[in-house]
Amino acid sequence: MEKSTCSNCGKENPVNYKYCFECGYELPKIISVEVVANEKDNHSAKNKKISVLGMILFVIAFLTFFFGAQYFFFSPGNIDKNLLKIASQLNESCPMMADSETRLDNAMAFENKVFQYNYTLINVDINEANPNEMKKILTPQITNIVKTSPDMKSMRDIGVTFKYSYKDKNGIFMFDVTLGPGQYQ
């Protein structure tokens, strides 16, 4: 039977539990990943690419929710300072596995309301992937999430620039997606 380990207390829980039965902390969601048996099979390779992209979108949605909830701590005069606090709070849990393919390494806040998430795709090698194609597919999906997510509304209202940066399993930069207010309003 599959188990899910609580990231708060370390207790193993049945995979279908949403909250840890020991401490009540929300358990990480388990996402099945299709393993490609034969890299030369185009159909299987395409399924793996779609699966990886789906996991990336899950991570974006998770962090969008986390980031949107943090807005309640903002005061108009201290937005950049509060972005730094949020990055620090998030970094206390980093690195963390967002799913079986994607690791959030850290978050960074910069002047002028820029917030960056740094990810590693732990099973992707830049030599076996097409970063331009991945970016081409992900950019409209990330844009749609930022534009339409109710959790992002407060951040859109203050004009935060969101940056999502991706590295491969060897730490080699693959691509980033940057969305400024002009792209999501």
Side-chain angles (χ1 to χ4, degrees), residues 51-67:
S51 178
V52 169
L53 294 175
M55 286 183 275
I56 292 169
L57 287 175
F58 169 77
V59 172
I60 292 167
F62 168 78
L63 292 175
T64 298
F65 174 78
F66 174 83
F67 189 65

Side-chain angles (χ1 to χ4, degrees), residues 3 8 11 22-23 31-32 61 79 81 87 90 95 105 127 133-134 144 163:
K3 297 283 185 177
N8 187 47
K11 190 75 172 177
E22 182 75 23
C23 69
I31 298 175
S32 297
I79 292 172
K81 184 186 278 187
L90 184 56
D105 296 319
N127 297 317
E133 184 66 24
M134 291 177 82
N144 187 52
K163 185 170 183 181

Side-chain angles (χ1 to χ4, degrees), residues 8 10 13 24 26 37 61 90 102 109 121 139-140 142 157 168 174 183:
N8 187 47
N13 293 269
E26 187 171 355
L90 184 56
T102 311
L121 301 173
T139 298
I142 293 170
D157 290 348
D168 78 348
M174 292 184 67
Q183 294 164 303

Side-chain angles (χ1 to χ4, degrees), residues 99-126:
D99 57 49
S100 62
E101 296 283 327
T102 311
R103 180 181 68 220
L104 174 64
D105 296 319
N106 62 17
M108 301 167 70
F110 300 97
E111 291 181 351
N112 301 318
K113 300 183 280 189
V114 176
F115 199 87
Q116 178 173 322
Y117 297 104
N118 296 309
Y119 299 108
T120 298
L121 301 173
I122 63 167
N123 293 319
V124 176
D125 185 322
I126 195 166

Side-chain angles (χ1 to χ4, degrees), residues 12-67:
E12 285 193 354
N13 293 269
V15 73
N16 62 334
Y17 279 24
K18 185 173 181 177
Y19 298 97
C20 178
F21 68 87
E22 182 75 23
C23 69
Y25 194 78
E26 187 171 355
L27 295 170
K29 292 182 175 56
I30 305 295
I31 298 175
S32 297
V33 179
E34 180 178 338
V35 177
V36 178
N38 183 352
E39 289 290 335
K40 295 179 183 178
D41 182 344
N42 290 337
H43 181 69
S44 295
K46 182 177 179 181
N47 286 343
K48 181 177 180 181
K49 183 187 291 187
I50 290 170
S51 178
V52 169
L53 294 175
M55 286 183 275
I56 292 169
L57 287 175
F58 169 77
V59 172
I60 292 167
F62 168 78
L63 292 175
T64 298
F65 174 78
F66 174 83
F67 189 65

Side-chain angles (χ1 to χ4, degrees), residues 124-131 167-170 172-175:
V124 176
D125 185 322
I126 195 166
N127 297 317
E128 298 171 1
N130 184 339
K167 296 183 296 183
D168 78 348
K169 67 182 180 181
N170 301 309
I172 298 171
F173 174 78
M174 292 184 67
F175 64 93

